[in-house]
mmCIF file with all atom_site columns, all heavy atoms in Angstrom:
data_model
loop_
_atom_site.group_PDB
_atom_site.id
_atom_site.type_symbol
_atom_site.label_atom_id
_atom_site.label_alt_id
_atom_site.label_comp_id
_atom_site.label_asym_id
_atom_site.label_entity_id
_atom_site.label_seq_id
_atom_site.pdbx_PDB_ins_code
_atom_site.Cartn_x
_atom_site.Cartn_y
_atom_site.Cartn_z
_atom_site.occupancy
_atom_site.B_iso_or_equiv
_atom_site.pdbx_formal_charge
_atom_site.auth_seq_id
_atom_site.auth_comp_id
_atom_site.auth_asym_id
_atom_site.auth_atom_id
_atom_site.pdbx_PDB_model_num
ATOM 1  N N   . TRP R 1 15  ? 2.415   -14.237 10.533  1.00 88.00 ? 1502 TRP R N   1
ATOM 2  C CA  . TRP R 1 15  ? 0.957   -14.365 10.460  1.00 88.00 ? 1502 TRP R CA  1
ATOM 3  C C   . TRP R 1 15  ? 0.296   -13.688 11.657  1.00 88.00 ? 1502 TRP R C   1
ATOM 4  O O   . TRP R 1 15  ? -0.786  -13.125 11.564  1.00 88.00 ? 1502 TRP R O   1
ATOM 5  C CB  . TRP R 1 15  ? 0.585   -15.844 10.401  1.00 88.00 ? 1502 TRP R CB  1
ATOM 6  C CG  . TRP R 1 15  ? -0.887  -16.143 10.353  1.00 88.00 ? 1502 TRP R CG  1
ATOM 7  C CD1 . TRP R 1 15  ? -1.756  -16.234 11.410  1.00 88.00 ? 1502 TRP R CD1 1
ATOM 8  C CD2 . TRP R 1 15  ? -1.672  -16.403 9.179   1.00 88.00 ? 1502 TRP R CD2 1
ATOM 9  N NE1 . TRP R 1 15  ? -3.013  -16.537 10.981  1.00 88.00 ? 1502 TRP R NE1 1
ATOM 10 C CE2 . TRP R 1 15  ? -2.997  -16.652 9.608   1.00 88.00 ? 1502 TRP R CE2 1
ATOM 11 C CE3 . TRP R 1 15  ? -1.375  -16.459 7.818   1.00 88.00 ? 1502 TRP R CE3 1
ATOM 12 C CZ2 . TRP R 1 15  ? -4.030  -16.955 8.717   1.00 88.00 ? 1502 TRP R CZ2 1
ATOM 13 C CZ3 . TRP R 1 15  ? -2.408  -16.755 6.931   1.00 88.00 ? 1502 TRP R CZ3 1
ATOM 14 C CH2 . TRP R 1 15  ? -3.715  -16.993 7.378   1.00 88.00 ? 1502 TRP R CH2 1
ATOM 15 N N   . SER R 1 31  ? -17.592 -7.331  18.314  1.00 94.00 ? 1518 SER R N   1
ATOM 16 C CA  . SER R 1 31  ? -18.896 -7.987  18.280  1.00 94.00 ? 1518 SER R CA  1
ATOM 17 C C   . SER R 1 31  ? -19.414 -8.022  16.851  1.00 94.00 ? 1518 SER R C   1
ATOM 18 O O   . SER R 1 31  ? -19.046 -7.182  16.022  1.00 94.00 ? 1518 SER R O   1
ATOM 19 C CB  . SER R 1 31  ? -19.906 -7.267  19.180  1.00 94.00 ? 1518 SER R CB  1
ATOM 20 O OG  . SER R 1 31  ? -20.189 -5.968  18.684  1.00 94.00 ? 1518 SER R OG  1
ATOM 21 N N   . ASP R 1 51  ? -2.890  -8.151  -0.087  1.00 86.00 ? 1538 ASP R N   1
ATOM 22 C CA  . ASP R 1 51  ? -1.662  -7.506  -0.536  1.00 86.00 ? 1538 ASP R CA  1
ATOM 23 C C   . ASP R 1 51  ? -1.092  -6.569  0.517   1.00 86.00 ? 1538 ASP R C   1
ATOM 24 O O   . ASP R 1 51  ? 0.004   -6.023  0.349   1.00 86.00 ? 1538 ASP R O   1
ATOM 25 C CB  . ASP R 1 51  ? -1.895  -6.753  -1.844  1.00 86.00 ? 1538 ASP R CB  1
ATOM 26 C CG  . ASP R 1 51  ? -2.937  -5.657  -1.708  1.00 86.00 ? 1538 ASP R CG  1
ATOM 27 O OD1 . ASP R 1 51  ? -3.793  -5.754  -0.821  1.00 86.00 ? 1538 ASP R OD1 1
ATOM 28 O OD2 . ASP R 1 51  ? -2.893  -4.695  -2.503  1.00 86.00 ? 1538 ASP R OD2 1
ATOM 29 N N   . LEU R 1 58  ? -15.029 -12.266 5.225   1.00 94.00 ? 1545 LEU R N   1
ATOM 30 C CA  . LEU R 1 58  ? -16.379 -12.833 5.272   1.00 94.00 ? 1545 LEU R CA  1
ATOM 31 C C   . LEU R 1 58  ? -16.699 -13.456 3.915   1.00 94.00 ? 1545 LEU R C   1
ATOM 32 O O   . LEU R 1 58  ? -16.457 -12.833 2.875   1.00 94.00 ? 1545 LEU R O   1
ATOM 33 C CB  . LEU R 1 58  ? -17.384 -11.729 5.597   1.00 94.00 ? 1545 LEU R CB  1
ATOM 34 C CG  . LEU R 1 58  ? -18.863 -12.107 5.595   1.00 94.00 ? 1545 LEU R CG  1
ATOM 35 C CD1 . LEU R 1 58  ? -19.218 -12.843 6.887   1.00 94.00 ? 1545 LEU R CD1 1
ATOM 36 C CD2 . LEU R 1 58  ? -19.740 -10.854 5.459   1.00 94.00 ? 1545 LEU R CD2 1
ATOM 37 N N   . ARG R 1 142 ? -16.284 6.291   14.807  1.00 90.00 ? 1629 ARG R N   1
ATOM 38 C CA  . ARG R 1 142 ? -17.510 6.754   14.167  1.00 90.00 ? 1629 ARG R CA  1
ATOM 39 C C   . ARG R 1 142 ? -18.308 5.568   13.642  1.00 90.00 ? 1629 ARG R C   1
ATOM 40 O O   . ARG R 1 142 ? -17.796 4.466   13.495  1.00 90.00 ? 1629 ARG R O   1
ATOM 41 C CB  . ARG R 1 142 ? -17.196 7.714   13.017  1.00 90.00 ? 1629 ARG R CB  1
ATOM 42 C CG  . ARG R 1 142 ? -16.517 9.005   13.470  1.00 90.00 ? 1629 ARG R CG  1
ATOM 43 C CD  . ARG R 1 142 ? -16.297 9.935   12.292  1.00 90.00 ? 1629 ARG R CD  1
ATOM 44 N NE  . ARG R 1 142 ? -15.651 11.169  12.698  1.00 90.00 ? 1629 ARG R NE  1
ATOM 45 C CZ  . ARG R 1 142 ? -16.283 12.242  13.161  1.00 90.00 ? 1629 ARG R CZ  1
ATOM 46 N NH1 . ARG R 1 142 ? -17.613 12.219  13.263  1.00 90.00 ? 1629 ARG R NH1 1
ATOM 47 N NH2 . ARG R 1 142 ? -15.619 13.324  13.512  1.00 90.00 ? 1629 ARG R NH2 1
ATOM 48 N N   . THR R 1 171 ? -14.581 -18.259 -15.058 1.00 85.00 ? 1658 THR R N   1
ATOM 49 C CA  . THR R 1 171 ? -13.752 -18.610 -13.906 1.00 85.00 ? 1658 THR R CA  1
ATOM 50 C C   . THR R 1 171 ? -12.986 -19.905 -14.111 1.00 85.00 ? 1658 THR R C   1
ATOM 51 O O   . THR R 1 171 ? -11.964 -20.119 -13.462 1.00 85.00 ? 1658 THR R O   1
ATOM 52 C CB  . THR R 1 171 ? -14.614 -18.719 -12.629 1.00 85.00 ? 1658 THR R CB  1
ATOM 53 O OG1 . THR R 1 171 ? -15.671 -19.670 -12.852 1.00 85.00 ? 1658 THR R OG1 1
ATOM 54 C CG2 . THR R 1 171 ? -15.232 -17.371 -12.275 1.00 85.00 ? 1658 THR R CG2 1
ATOM 55 N N   . PHE R 1 178 ? -1.338  -20.161 -10.038 1.00 91.00 ? 1665 PHE R N   1
ATOM 56 C CA  . PHE R 1 178 ? -1.577  -20.141 -8.600  1.00 91.00 ? 1665 PHE R CA  1
ATOM 57 C C   . PHE R 1 178 ? -3.014  -20.513 -8.236  1.00 91.00 ? 1665 PHE R C   1
ATOM 58 O O   . PHE R 1 178 ? -3.262  -21.080 -7.180  1.00 91.00 ? 1665 PHE R O   1
ATOM 59 C CB  . PHE R 1 178 ? -1.306  -18.755 -8.024  1.00 91.00 ? 1665 PHE R CB  1
ATOM 60 C CG  . PHE R 1 178 ? 0.119   -18.300 -8.124  1.00 91.00 ? 1665 PHE R CG  1
ATOM 61 C CD1 . PHE R 1 178 ? 0.447   -16.981 -7.882  1.00 91.00 ? 1665 PHE R CD1 1
ATOM 62 C CD2 . PHE R 1 178 ? 1.126   -19.176 -8.452  1.00 91.00 ? 1665 PHE R CD2 1
ATOM 63 C CE1 . PHE R 1 178 ? 1.759   -16.550 -7.976  1.00 91.00 ? 1665 PHE R CE1 1
ATOM 64 C CE2 . PHE R 1 178 ? 2.441   -18.762 -8.544  1.00 91.00 ? 1665 PHE R CE2 1
ATOM 65 C CZ  . PHE R 1 178 ? 2.757   -17.435 -8.312  1.00 91.00 ? 1665 PHE R CZ  1
ATOM 66 N N   . LEU R 1 215 ? 14.216  -18.346 -1.162  1.00 43.00 ? 1702 LEU R N   1
ATOM 67 C CA  . LEU R 1 215 ? 14.761  -19.037 0.008   1.00 43.00 ? 1702 LEU R CA  1
ATOM 68 C C   . LEU R 1 215 ? 16.214  -19.449 -0.197  1.00 43.00 ? 1702 LEU R C   1
ATOM 69 O O   . LEU R 1 215 ? 16.813  -19.989 0.708   1.00 43.00 ? 1702 LEU R O   1
ATOM 70 C CB  . LEU R 1 215 ? 13.900  -20.281 0.311   1.00 43.00 ? 1702 LEU R CB  1
ATOM 71 C CG  . LEU R 1 215 ? 12.399  -20.042 0.563   1.00 43.00 ? 1702 LEU R CG  1
ATOM 72 C CD1 . LEU R 1 215 ? 11.710  -21.356 0.890   1.00 43.00 ? 1702 LEU R CD1 1
ATOM 73 C CD2 . LEU R 1 215 ? 12.188  -19.033 1.687   1.00 43.00 ? 1702 LEU R CD2 1
#
Side-chain angles (χ1 to χ4, degrees):
W1502 179 276
S1518 66
D1538 61 335
L1545 176 78
R1629 296 183 180 274
T1658 56
F1665 296 167
L1702 303 182

